[in-house]
Short mmCIF file of all heavy atoms in Angstrom, two decimals:
data_model
loop_
_atom_site.label_atom_id
_atom_site.label_comp_id
_atom_site.label_asym_id
_atom_site.label_seq_id
_atom_site.Cartn_x
_atom_site.Cartn_y
_atom_site.Cartn_z
N THR A 4 150.56 -91.81 -7.36
CA THR A 4 151.08 -91.84 -8.77
C THR A 4 151.31 -90.43 -9.30
O THR A 4 150.65 -89.49 -8.82
CB THR A 4 150.19 -92.63 -9.66
OG1 THR A 4 148.96 -91.95 -9.80
CG2 THR A 4 149.93 -94.05 -9.10
N ASN A 5 152.02 -90.33 -10.28
CA ASN A 5 152.14 -89.06 -11.15
C ASN A 5 150.92 -89.07 -12.05
O ASN A 5 150.32 -90.08 -12.44
CB ASN A 5 153.42 -89.02 -11.98
CG ASN A 5 154.49 -88.41 -11.22
OD1 ASN A 5 154.38 -87.77 -10.15
ND2 ASN A 5 155.67 -88.46 -11.75
N PRO A 6 150.56 -87.84 -12.58
CA PRO A 6 149.47 -87.70 -13.45
C PRO A 6 149.88 -88.32 -14.85
O PRO A 6 151.11 -88.39 -15.07
CB PRO A 6 149.20 -86.26 -13.69
CG PRO A 6 149.90 -85.57 -12.47
CD PRO A 6 150.99 -86.52 -12.03
N ILE A 7 148.97 -88.79 -15.61
CA ILE A 7 149.22 -89.36 -16.90
C ILE A 7 149.07 -88.26 -17.92
O ILE A 7 147.97 -88.13 -18.53
CB ILE A 7 148.32 -90.54 -17.24
CG1 ILE A 7 148.35 -91.58 -16.08
CG2 ILE A 7 148.80 -91.24 -18.56
CD1 ILE A 7 147.34 -92.69 -16.30
N THR A 8 150.05 -87.43 -18.04
CA THR A 8 149.94 -86.27 -18.92
C THR A 8 151.33 -86.15 -19.68
O THR A 8 152.39 -86.68 -19.22
CB THR A 8 149.74 -85.01 -18.16
OG1 THR A 8 150.77 -84.83 -17.12
CG2 THR A 8 148.38 -85.08 -17.57
N ARG A 9 151.31 -85.36 -20.78
CA ARG A 9 152.54 -85.05 -21.55
C ARG A 9 153.21 -83.78 -20.99
O ARG A 9 152.70 -83.20 -20.09
CB ARG A 9 152.26 -85.02 -22.95
CG ARG A 9 152.04 -86.38 -23.68
CD ARG A 9 151.68 -86.14 -25.15
NE ARG A 9 151.56 -87.44 -25.76
CZ ARG A 9 150.83 -87.62 -26.95
NH1 ARG A 9 150.20 -86.56 -27.51
NH2 ARG A 9 150.77 -88.85 -27.50
N MET A 10 154.33 -83.44 -21.61
CA MET A 10 155.05 -82.21 -21.25
C MET A 10 155.55 -82.46 -19.80
O MET A 10 155.84 -83.53 -19.32
CB MET A 10 154.27 -81.00 -21.52
CG MET A 10 153.66 -80.99 -22.97
SD MET A 10 154.89 -81.12 -24.32
CE MET A 10 155.70 -79.53 -24.34
N LYS A 11 155.44 -81.30 -19.01
CA LYS A 11 155.79 -81.44 -17.61
C LYS A 11 154.49 -81.65 -16.81
O LYS A 11 153.49 -80.97 -16.99
CB LYS A 11 156.51 -80.14 -17.17
CG LYS A 11 157.99 -80.10 -17.56
CD LYS A 11 158.83 -79.06 -16.72
CE LYS A 11 160.26 -79.18 -17.14
NZ LYS A 11 161.04 -78.19 -16.35
N LYS A 12 154.63 -82.62 -15.92
CA LYS A 12 153.49 -83.01 -15.10
C LYS A 12 153.48 -82.18 -13.85
O LYS A 12 154.43 -81.70 -13.35
CB LYS A 12 153.50 -84.56 -14.66
CG LYS A 12 153.80 -85.44 -15.82
CD LYS A 12 153.93 -86.85 -15.33
CE LYS A 12 154.41 -87.87 -16.40
NZ LYS A 12 153.33 -88.00 -17.42
N GLU A 13 152.23 -82.02 -13.30
CA GLU A 13 152.17 -81.50 -12.02
C GLU A 13 152.78 -82.52 -11.01
O GLU A 13 152.34 -83.68 -11.02
CB GLU A 13 150.74 -81.16 -11.59
CG GLU A 13 150.64 -80.54 -10.16
CD GLU A 13 149.20 -80.19 -9.80
OE1 GLU A 13 148.31 -80.85 -10.31
OE2 GLU A 13 149.05 -79.30 -8.99
N PRO A 14 153.67 -82.15 -10.15
CA PRO A 14 154.52 -83.15 -9.42
C PRO A 14 153.78 -83.61 -8.12
O PRO A 14 154.25 -83.41 -7.05
CB PRO A 14 155.86 -82.40 -9.00
CG PRO A 14 155.37 -81.00 -8.92
CD PRO A 14 154.29 -80.74 -9.96
N THR A 15 152.65 -84.28 -8.33
CA THR A 15 151.82 -84.77 -7.25
C THR A 15 152.58 -85.66 -6.28
O THR A 15 152.50 -85.58 -5.07
CB THR A 15 150.53 -85.31 -7.65
OG1 THR A 15 150.86 -86.39 -8.58
CG2 THR A 15 149.68 -84.31 -8.37
N LEU A 16 153.34 -86.55 -6.90
CA LEU A 16 154.05 -87.58 -6.11
C LEU A 16 155.14 -86.82 -5.32
O LEU A 16 155.32 -87.14 -4.15
CB LEU A 16 154.64 -88.66 -7.02
CG LEU A 16 154.95 -90.03 -6.35
CD1 LEU A 16 154.97 -91.22 -7.46
CD2 LEU A 16 156.18 -90.05 -5.51
N LEU A 17 155.95 -86.03 -5.98
CA LEU A 17 156.96 -85.24 -5.28
C LEU A 17 156.44 -84.44 -4.14
O LEU A 17 156.98 -84.44 -2.99
CB LEU A 17 157.60 -84.30 -6.27
CG LEU A 17 158.71 -83.34 -5.68
CD1 LEU A 17 159.89 -84.11 -5.17
CD2 LEU A 17 159.12 -82.27 -6.63
N MET A 18 155.27 -83.81 -4.38
CA MET A 18 154.68 -82.94 -3.27
C MET A 18 154.28 -83.80 -2.16
O MET A 18 154.40 -83.46 -0.95
CB MET A 18 153.48 -82.21 -3.84
CG MET A 18 153.85 -81.05 -4.77
SD MET A 18 152.55 -79.94 -5.20
CE MET A 18 151.61 -80.90 -6.35
N GLU A 19 153.70 -84.99 -2.29
CA GLU A 19 153.30 -85.85 -1.22
C GLU A 19 154.59 -86.33 -0.46
O GLU A 19 154.58 -86.34 0.74
CB GLU A 19 152.50 -87.14 -1.75
CG GLU A 19 151.17 -86.71 -2.32
CD GLU A 19 150.13 -86.37 -1.29
OE1 GLU A 19 150.47 -86.13 -0.10
OE2 GLU A 19 148.88 -86.30 -1.66
N LEU A 20 155.63 -86.70 -1.18
CA LEU A 20 156.86 -87.10 -0.62
C LEU A 20 157.46 -86.04 0.22
O LEU A 20 157.85 -86.21 1.40
CB LEU A 20 157.83 -87.63 -1.63
CG LEU A 20 159.04 -88.33 -1.11
CD1 LEU A 20 158.59 -89.65 -0.30
CD2 LEU A 20 159.95 -88.75 -2.26
N LEU A 21 157.55 -84.83 -0.28
CA LEU A 21 158.15 -83.69 0.43
C LEU A 21 157.32 -83.30 1.64
O LEU A 21 157.92 -82.81 2.72
CB LEU A 21 158.32 -82.45 -0.47
CG LEU A 21 159.39 -82.69 -1.61
CD1 LEU A 21 159.51 -81.46 -2.46
CD2 LEU A 21 160.74 -83.02 -1.08
N SER A 22 155.98 -83.42 1.55
CA SER A 22 155.19 -83.13 2.73
C SER A 22 155.43 -84.16 3.85
O SER A 22 155.42 -83.77 5.00
CB SER A 22 153.62 -83.18 2.29
OG SER A 22 153.18 -84.48 2.11
N LEU A 23 155.67 -85.37 3.47
CA LEU A 23 156.00 -86.42 4.49
C LEU A 23 157.37 -86.10 5.10
O LEU A 23 157.59 -86.24 6.29
CB LEU A 23 156.01 -87.80 3.90
CG LEU A 23 154.67 -88.45 3.66
CD1 LEU A 23 154.79 -89.71 2.82
CD2 LEU A 23 154.03 -88.76 4.95
N PHE A 24 158.34 -85.66 4.34
CA PHE A 24 159.67 -85.26 4.77
C PHE A 24 159.49 -84.11 5.91
O PHE A 24 160.10 -84.12 6.89
CB PHE A 24 160.56 -84.75 3.68
CG PHE A 24 161.05 -85.87 2.78
CD1 PHE A 24 161.81 -85.55 1.65
CD2 PHE A 24 160.68 -87.24 2.97
CE1 PHE A 24 162.27 -86.54 0.84
CE2 PHE A 24 161.10 -88.23 2.10
CZ PHE A 24 161.93 -87.84 1.06
N ALA A 25 158.61 -83.13 5.52
CA ALA A 25 158.45 -82.01 6.42
C ALA A 25 157.75 -82.44 7.67
O ALA A 25 157.84 -81.78 8.80
CB ALA A 25 157.69 -80.90 5.75
N PHE A 26 156.93 -83.48 7.57
CA PHE A 26 156.07 -83.92 8.72
C PHE A 26 156.91 -84.74 9.70
O PHE A 26 156.52 -85.00 10.84
CB PHE A 26 154.90 -84.82 8.18
CG PHE A 26 153.73 -84.98 9.08
CD1 PHE A 26 152.99 -83.87 9.47
CD2 PHE A 26 153.45 -86.19 9.62
CE1 PHE A 26 151.98 -83.96 10.29
CE2 PHE A 26 152.37 -86.34 10.39
CZ PHE A 26 151.66 -85.27 10.80
N ALA A 27 158.17 -85.18 9.27
CA ALA A 27 158.99 -86.08 10.16
C ALA A 27 159.32 -85.37 11.46
O ALA A 27 159.67 -84.19 11.46
CB ALA A 27 160.31 -86.39 9.42
N GLN A 28 159.23 -86.05 12.60
CA GLN A 28 159.51 -85.59 13.91
C GLN A 28 160.80 -86.11 14.50
O GLN A 28 161.49 -85.43 15.21
CB GLN A 28 158.32 -85.94 14.85
CG GLN A 28 157.00 -85.42 14.37
CD GLN A 28 156.97 -83.84 14.37
OE1 GLN A 28 157.41 -83.20 15.37
NE2 GLN A 28 156.49 -83.24 13.35
N ASP A 29 161.07 -87.39 14.16
CA ASP A 29 162.23 -88.08 14.82
C ASP A 29 163.33 -88.47 13.91
O ASP A 29 164.51 -88.39 14.23
CB ASP A 29 161.71 -89.28 15.59
CG ASP A 29 160.73 -88.92 16.73
OD1 ASP A 29 160.98 -87.92 17.45
OD2 ASP A 29 159.64 -89.55 16.71
N SER A 30 162.98 -88.99 12.67
CA SER A 30 163.95 -89.59 11.77
C SER A 30 163.46 -89.54 10.38
O SER A 30 162.31 -89.62 10.13
CB SER A 30 164.34 -91.02 12.23
OG SER A 30 163.19 -91.89 12.06
N LEU A 31 164.43 -89.46 9.48
CA LEU A 31 164.17 -89.50 8.03
C LEU A 31 165.26 -90.20 7.33
O LEU A 31 166.48 -89.77 7.38
CB LEU A 31 163.97 -88.08 7.43
CG LEU A 31 163.82 -87.92 5.97
CD1 LEU A 31 162.59 -88.67 5.51
CD2 LEU A 31 163.76 -86.49 5.59
N LEU A 32 164.96 -91.32 6.70
CA LEU A 32 165.96 -92.20 6.08
C LEU A 32 165.55 -92.27 4.53
O LEU A 32 164.43 -92.62 4.24
CB LEU A 32 165.94 -93.57 6.68
CG LEU A 32 166.92 -94.60 6.03
CD1 LEU A 32 168.33 -94.19 6.10
CD2 LEU A 32 166.79 -95.95 6.86
#
């Protein structure tokens, strides 16, 4: 989940998703 904060949040969910993208070895859909 994203943090429950106002203004701009630290993008924890985005960072986890992008780390999975970088971890891909064979395919990314």
Side-chain angles (χ1 to χ4, degrees):
T4 66
N5 270 347
I7 309 174
T8 57
R9 284 176 175 158
M10 310 305 282
K11 283 196 174 178
K12 307 176 189 296
E13 184 177 25
T15 54
L16 204 161
L17 174 69
M18 288 191 285
E19 293 286 13
L20 190 61
L21 292 179
S22 73
L23 282 168
F24 289 177
F26 201 64
Q28 302 294 314
D29 301 310
S30 62
L31 175 57
L32 178 58

